[in-house]
Amino acid sequence: MTTGLHPGGPPQDPRPTGNQALPHQEQAGPAPLHADNRTGSSVITARAAASFDPVGRSVATARSFVRDTLQGWGFADIVDDAVVLTSELVTNAVVHAGTSADVLCLRSDEGVRIEVADRYPEREIPLQASAVNMGSPDREGGRGLQLCAALAGHWGVEYSPTHKQVWFQLDLPERPVGTRAAGPSLPAHLLPLADGRVRVAVIQIDRACSISAWNEDAEDLFGYAAEQVTGKPLTDLAAWPHTPGTSTGIVEALQLSRWEGSYGIRGASGRVTPVYASHLRVRDTGGEPSTVCLLVRDHERAVLQTPLRASATDTTTSSEGQATDPFEVFIGSPAPDDLDGLLQRTVERARDMLDGDSAFLLLATDDETELEVRASTGLPSARQRFARVPVEAGPGRYGSARMPAVHEDLMVVPGAVPLLGGTGMRSVVTVPLKVEGRLTGSLGVAAESPSRYSNEEALRLQFAADRIALAVESARLGELERLRRGSLSFLVEASDLLAGTLDRDQTLALMAQMTVPTLATWCAVYTIADQASDPYLSYVLHEDEERIDGLKALLSKIAPPDPVPTPGARVWPAPAEAAHQAALRTSMRSLGLGERSPVSSGIGTTLATAAAVGGETVVLPLVARNRVIGMLTLGKPSDEHFRQEILELAEDLSRRAALALDNARLYSERTAISQSLQRSLLPPELPHIEGVEVEVIYRAAGEGNEVGGDFYDLFPIRDGAYGFAIGDVCGTGPEAAAVTGLARHALRLLAREGFGGPAVLERLNSAILDEGARSRFLTLLYGELWPQEDGSAVLKVVCAGHPLPLRLRQDGTVEAAAEPQPLLGVMEDLELYEQTVTLDPGDVLLCVTDGVTERREGTRMLGDDGLTDVLTTCTGLTAGAVAARVMRAVERFASDAPSDDMAILAMRVPGLQVD
């Protein structure tokens, strides 16, 4: 349920305005009030809104919402009618229509208007001319409208394209001027009891919900002086998160124009005083809103309470003499929907019922061998929450879980209730929570003085425990189901994220970010490179970024956990112990009692780090392919413990994370091997050729995990002569790499042995065919270059199935510099020949692989013609500028990333330099 409370002032009409179509509206009942005039006849002084999910329990929640709202507004006379009508209309929305319901309460000086809207406009309501013709009251549908016609002063139905809204208005009964509520005259012995002097605490709350005024009676009731609480939020003193018996929180209640109800105020002594409060929202002369709160002890509520319906906690018998549910007597009505709220209210009521100093509640595990602390009051709950104790065996066992037990003095039987060790509690009474004979939990109340409790208190507490056991077990099972569903969703999302990356560092970061703060307060990941290596602290994360550096420094100073392959989480006490020792040494140095350190991070940082890692720390092994590759370490802040469900979820996550981390490691190794092999297939550097400019651009496609088939080379053959080559082996991977390496090294070797171009390629062709099934065909452009004294250069080239080299002349004309010949690796007998080309000063020879010419965008391809057009615009450019312009043109030709390797070799003869 989501609620919105808007005190005072006219509300904004949520319906369409301007040029939007007005919703269809049908009305019935006497003197129908048109919706467009709902704020015109009277001023809206307050409003409250809430949305309810399409589930059955929303009907009860909606009833409570309307009842609490009208009670707070002081409209007790019409509460019952409003609740009945709201219940019927919300049932129609969430049960019959199957949509969520929006409830809006509007208060005016004349009455209350309540609107219930659903999101099923197609389900029309069959309104008739009069209520008597609407059908039998015993039929399944239509009762809500009959009730509206019978109980409401005005009512109607409105339709819009997305909503259907049913509204009704209840008028206030006439009262004498100045009278809000009145009761009959009573004899003196029937008047409610009060202390000799009734203290009424007057507290004023400003716009920010902070205390701005605190009178003497408030000091007497709660023990705080005015200067101690001024400026603090009232919620800091409230002991209960919500008002018992209602679904309205204290913060929400402070925003209402008027409200009455009960809650608890924790006094200076630490004990909770149940109070009855009356809130009134006012404005000062400057227009700033504030809330005046009148508070009395809860048993003196008659001083403030408007005579309304009897409270469920005051008596076990209603005004009609009907017995109420004992569960409601103890826990209040309605009970909290969530398990934690129900347990917390239970321990608060148990402590108050037996006038104890503390109370606690533990839930049993499925096998009933351990009890887990789930709620406490008057105890250091943060230190104890989710801690586990064995029921029957082992150290620190909880021996009084299955039967009611009274311990008059824990000093005589130390350790009887491990939860109370070191808390100062002396006497305790504990009772079991059982469902169908099965132990589901244990409830206890303790006091600081001995011999406080007897068997009579144990029987009273057992009676209360029997009333709530079934509700607690039902709520626990519901929580387990929600946790199971949430865990499945969490693991699915985690698997998707981990599967989406093969980068090791990113995988480590994802592991930590998925656990913090969802599963733990901080996380550290240790990795193990191989079986001979020690664990290495690879990643540290804390939910507070300011704590990360201190946490990393602390973990770096202690030995890493042992890489034990045993599955499951195991406790690792070293971080908490190290943090405690560091905090102790720092505190002693600050007092001048210890050795001074030349370098200190300061007592504040050290203590903050100690608090951050001072709770329970667990280690989960990261096991992949039968090898421990690391450890996932999760931690809690000071004295907190992990829930078993969280540890089981973390174990599932660690298995997935370990496999993802190992996959990232394997991928990184493969990528490094591929890149190293690719570099070995390309020349380490290009030689300097006097009189010739040379530029090479090489772009490998893909993510670097495959070795490409394109290669180039430029090398000296003998004095004054240079060999150059650019080629493309079919395919990628190891087979293509083998042919690439064979081709590049064979070219150098054969050329330096004095063979001409055709002989070099014919022998290379034979070597490729000798590879048998591993052979790949190869396109290759090979040539020899001789710079001339006149500034020109002579080239002899052989083009074996490769894209033809292009020659750019100084006048801007482009022509092919060779003729096509058969490619290598296909036929045994090749008849190749070489062609001579002379590059004049200013000429450019451009050689590319087919990744350039076959660049595609849809059905278009750059091709030889497109490359020729680009080269035509390069007149007068250096070799480097020509290669860069060609690469830019290729990249801009298509929006997608290149799917093939590309190599560009540009040679230009600049000519002789004249001094």
Side-chain angles (χ1 to χ4, degrees):
M1 180 190 78
T2 56
T3 62
L5 303 170
H6 314 273
Q12 296 180 352
D13 198 327
R15 278 175 296 215
T17 57
N19 297 326
Q20 294 178 332
L22 291 175
H24 173 64
Q25 174 176 321
E26 299 181 40
Q27 299 173 346
L33 176 65
H34 196 279
D36 291 340
N37 298 324
R38 71 180 183 189
T39 60
S41 60
S42 59
V43 177
I44 302 299
T45 57
R47 60 186 280 153
S51 296
F52 302 92
D53 297 331
V55 292
R57 64 174 180 272
S58 293
V59 179
T61 311
R63 287 197 295 264
S64 298
F65 165 72
V66 172
R67 183 181 296 278
D68 293 340
T69 300
L70 269 59
Q71 296 277 16
W73 290 346
F75 294 159
D77 307 79
I78 59 175
V79 164
D80 292 335
D81 289 347
V83 168
V84 169
L85 295 179
T86 302
S87 178
E88 290 292 332
L89 298 181
V90 173
T91 299
N92 290 339
V94 303
V95 176
H96 300 304
T99 74
S100 59
D102 299 327
V103 179
L104 175 64
C105 302
L106 301 174
R107 186 190 71 178
S108 67
D109 53 356
E110 297 179 355
V112 173
R113 172 177 171 130
I114 298 179
E115 303 174 354
V116 179
D118 63 39
R119 294 171 175 79
Y120 191 13
E122 295 85 355
R123 188 174 186 269
E124 295 187 359
I125 297 179
L127 296 180
Q128 304 292 336
S130 62
V132 296
N133 296 325
M134 294 177 64
S136 169
D138 296 329
R139 70 176 185 172
E140 179 66 20
R143 289 195 299 251
L145 303 182
Q146 293 185 50
L147 289 172
C148 285
L151 300 178
H154 312 278
W155 69 281
V157 185
E158 302 171 7
Y159 294 96
S160 72
T162 58
H163 290 73
K164 177 178 82 270
Q165 176 178 283
V166 182
W167 60 269
F168 62 87
Q169 179 168 320
L170 298 174
D171 299 326
L172 295 177
E174 295 184 1
R175 293 174 176 163
V177 176
T179 302
R180 179 169 182 243
S185 299
L186 295 175
H189 69 278
L190 295 179
L191 296 176
L193 294 175
D195 291 345
R197 174 178 180 272
V198 177
R199 290 177 173 81
V200 180
V202 181
I203 304 173
Q204 190 154 357
I205 310 299
D206 60 19
R207 187 170 194 166
C209 294
S210 298
I211 298 172
S212 58
W214 184 270
N215 73 339
E216 293 182 359
D217 280 359
E219 295 183 15
D220 292 339
L221 282 174
F222 310 122
Y224 297 107
E227 56 270 15
Q228 292 179 275
V229 295
T230 301
K232 292 184 177 180
L234 180 61
T235 52
D236 286 358
L237 306 181
W240 302 320
H242 288 81
T243 303
T246 73
S247 59
T248 304
I250 294 177
V251 175
E252 297 169 339
L254 291 173
Q255 302 299 319
L256 294 174
S257 59
R258 183 179 293 278
W259 183 87
E260 289 183 17
S262 300
Y263 49 83
I265 296 293
R266 193 178 299 280
S269 64
R271 303 192 64 172
V272 176
T273 301
V275 297
Y276 188 83
S278 175
H279 298 173
L280 177 65
R281 191 78 164 161
V282 298
R283 287 188 299 169
D284 59 18
T285 55
E288 287 293 318
S290 63
T291 302
V292 177
C293 306
L294 305 180
L295 291 82
V296 297
R297 293 185 180 91
D298 194 62
H299 65 273
E300 298 172 340
R301 63 170 57 199
V303 176
L304 299 179
Q305 185 178 25
T306 302
L308 303 175
R309 60 188 177 98
S311 172
T313 59
D314 291 340
T315 177
T316 60
T317 306
S318 64
S319 58
E320 291 81 8
Q322 298 177 351
T324 59
D325 186 356
F327 172 79
E328 292 190 4
V329 174
F330 179 71
I331 204 66
S333 178
D337 292 333
D338 62 301
L339 177 62
D340 289 337
L342 176 61
L343 299 182
Q344 190 61 35
R345 187 182 294 183
T346 298
V347 296
E348 294 282 357
R349 293 298 175 89
R351 185 184 68 170
D352 295 343
M353 182 178 71
L354 299 186
D355 193 25
D357 296 308
S358 64
F360 54 89
L361 193 149
L362 303 88
L363 293 184
T365 56
D366 292 337
D367 57 5
E368 301 182 29
T369 60
E370 289 184 311
L371 292 170
E372 185 179 64
V373 180
R374 292 300 302 269
S376 64
T377 181
L379 296 174
S381 57
R383 176 173 66 86
Q384 303 292 349
R385 187 165 170 79
F386 300 123
R388 290 195 169 203
V389 293
V391 176
E392 295 175 345
R397 70 185 185 90
Y398 195 163
S400 56
R402 297 190 181 277
M403 296 292 293
V406 176
H407 297 282
E408 296 183 350
D409 193 348
L410 292 178
M411 298 292 290
V412 179
V413 283
V417 183
L419 181 66
L420 301 179
T423 62
M425 300 296 157
R426 296 285 299 275
S427 56
V428 61
V429 54
T430 61
V431 296
L433 277 68
K434 293 185 177 181
V435 176
E436 297 180 353
R438 184 172 61 86
L439 179 67
T440 60
S442 178
L443 175 64
V445 178
E448 296 177 352
S449 58
S451 303
R452 174 75 70 86
Y453 302 115
S454 64
N455 290 337
E456 181 180 353
E457 283 80 11
L459 291 176
R460 291 177 58 196
L461 189 61
Q462 184 66 69
F463 179 80
D466 292 341
R467 303 285 77 76
I468 67 170
L470 186 59
V472 169
E473 179 67 4
S474 177
R476 186 185 73 87
L477 294 176
E479 181 190 65
L480 290 178
E481 178 64 18
R482 289 191 296 273
L483 284 174
R484 187 185 68 84
R485 293 178 180 272
S487 299
L488 290 176
S489 176
F490 173 78
L491 290 175
V492 168
E493 182 179 357
S495 299
D496 289 342
L497 291 173
L498 291 171
T501 179
L502 287 172
D503 181 81
R504 176 184 177 276
D505 293 337
Q506 189 173 0
T507 302
L508 290 172
L510 283 174
M511 290 171 58
Q513 291 166 6
M514 285 185 293
T515 57
V516 176
T518 305
L519 305 181
T521 305
W522 62 270
C523 168
V525 183
Y526 291 85
T527 57
I528 303 175
D530 51 61
Q531 295 181 356
S533 302
D534 294 329
Y536 175 74
L537 182 61
S538 299
Y539 201 90
V540 176
L541 184 65
H542 192 282
E543 63 180 5
D544 183 357
E545 293 184 357
E546 295 181 356
R547 306 274 78 83
I548 294 178
D549 291 338
L551 177 59
K552 186 182 299 183
L554 176 69
L555 294 176
S556 299
K557 296 177 182 178
I558 61 178
D562 296 330
V564 178
T566 305
R570 69 181 193 275
V571 177
W572 184 35
E577 293 173 358
H580 175 74
Q581 293 298 326
L584 180 61
R585 288 193 299 269
T586 303
S587 300
M588 293 180 66
R589 283 197 299 268
S590 67
L591 298 174
L593 301 177
E595 297 180 359
R596 295 192 174 275
S597 174
V599 178
S600 176
S601 58
I603 186 172
T605 302
T606 304
L607 294 179
T609 302
V613 302
E616 189 174 52
T617 302
V618 297
V619 177
L620 297 106
L622 298 174
V623 182
R625 298 175 176 91
N626 298 322
R627 187 175 71 88
V628 180
I629 64 171
M631 285 86 70
L632 178 63
T633 304
L634 306 179
K636 286 282 191 179
S638 290
D639 298 323
E640 287 198 16
H641 297 263
F642 284 97
R643 297 183 59 177
Q644 185 63 27
E645 294 84 359
I646 296 298
L647 294 180
E648 292 172 357
L649 180 58
E651 185 177 357
D652 285 338
L653 175 64
S654 67
R655 287 195 291 266
R656 290 165 169 79
L659 188 58
L661 184 61
D662 200 47
N663 288 339
R665 178 188 62 82
L666 295 174
Y667 181 81
S668 299
E669 292 178 357
R670 181 181 178 185
T671 301
I673 293 172
S674 298
Q675 293 174 347
S676 177
L677 180 56
Q678 185 73 68
R679 287 191 297 268
S680 70
L681 300 178
L682 300 175
E685 59 183 10
L686 298 177
H688 174 71
I689 304 177
E690 189 69 29
V692 179
E693 297 176 359
V694 179
E695 181 66 26
V696 174
I697 296 179
Y698 182 85
R699 294 285 189 273
E703 300 180 357
N705 61 339
E706 290 286 352
V707 180
D710 289 11
F711 69 96
Y712 65 89
D713 202 357
L714 180 63
F715 55 92
I717 299 176
R718 50 190 173 273
D719 293 341
Y722 296 87
F724 66 90
I726 184 169
D728 185 2
V729 178
C730 174
T732 58
E735 292 82 2
V739 176
T740 301
L742 173 65
R744 194 173 76 84
H745 293 88
L747 287 175
R748 288 196 173 205
L749 179 62
L750 294 172
R752 288 171 177 171
E753 288 294 326
F755 292 97
V760 170
L761 269 60
E762 288 170 0
R763 285 164 173 77
L764 176 59
N765 180 64
S766 299
I768 295 174
L769 292 175
D770 289 343
E771 293 292 311
R774 297 180 299 175
S775 65
R776 297 293 182 94
F777 64 80
L778 167 68
T779 67
L780 181 64
L781 172 66
Y782 174 75
E784 296 179 358
L785 170 67
W786 288 273
Q788 304 297 309
E789 294 182 357
D790 60 357
S792 63
V794 175
L795 294 85
K796 293 183 178 181
V797 296
V798 180
C799 186
H802 199 78
L804 299 179
L806 299 180
R807 176 182 180 180
L808 172 65
R809 296 182 180 271
Q810 293 189 69
D811 58 4
T813 60
V814 177
E815 61 184 7
E819 297 177 355
Q821 299 183 57
L823 74 167
L824 308 181
V826 178
M827 299 180 294
E828 293 184 359
D829 298 328
L830 292 180
E831 295 183 1
L832 302 175
Y833 58 91
E834 61 184 8
Q835 297 173 275
T836 302
V837 179
T838 301
L839 295 181
D840 296 325
D843 289 355
V844 176
L845 184 72
L846 178 66
C847 310
V848 300
T849 58
D850 59 4
V852 174
T853 57
E854 294 180 1
R855 178 78 162 137
R856 294 180 181 275
E857 173 70 17
T859 59
R860 298 187 306 118
M861 186 172 71
L862 179 64
D864 295 334
D865 293 339
L867 182 61
T868 300
D869 294 340
V870 175
L871 187 58
T872 303
T873 65
C874 297
T875 305
L877 299 182
T878 63
V882 171
R885 177 169 294 186
V886 171
M887 179 56 70
R888 283 198 303 272
V890 172
E891 291 174 342
R892 294 174 180 174
F893 185 79
S895 57
D896 296 337
S899 59
D900 194 6
D901 300 336
M902 293 185 292
I904 300 174
L905 172 61
M907 294 183 289
R908 178 175 180 269
V909 181
L912 294 176
Q913 299 294 328
V914 180
D915 295 334

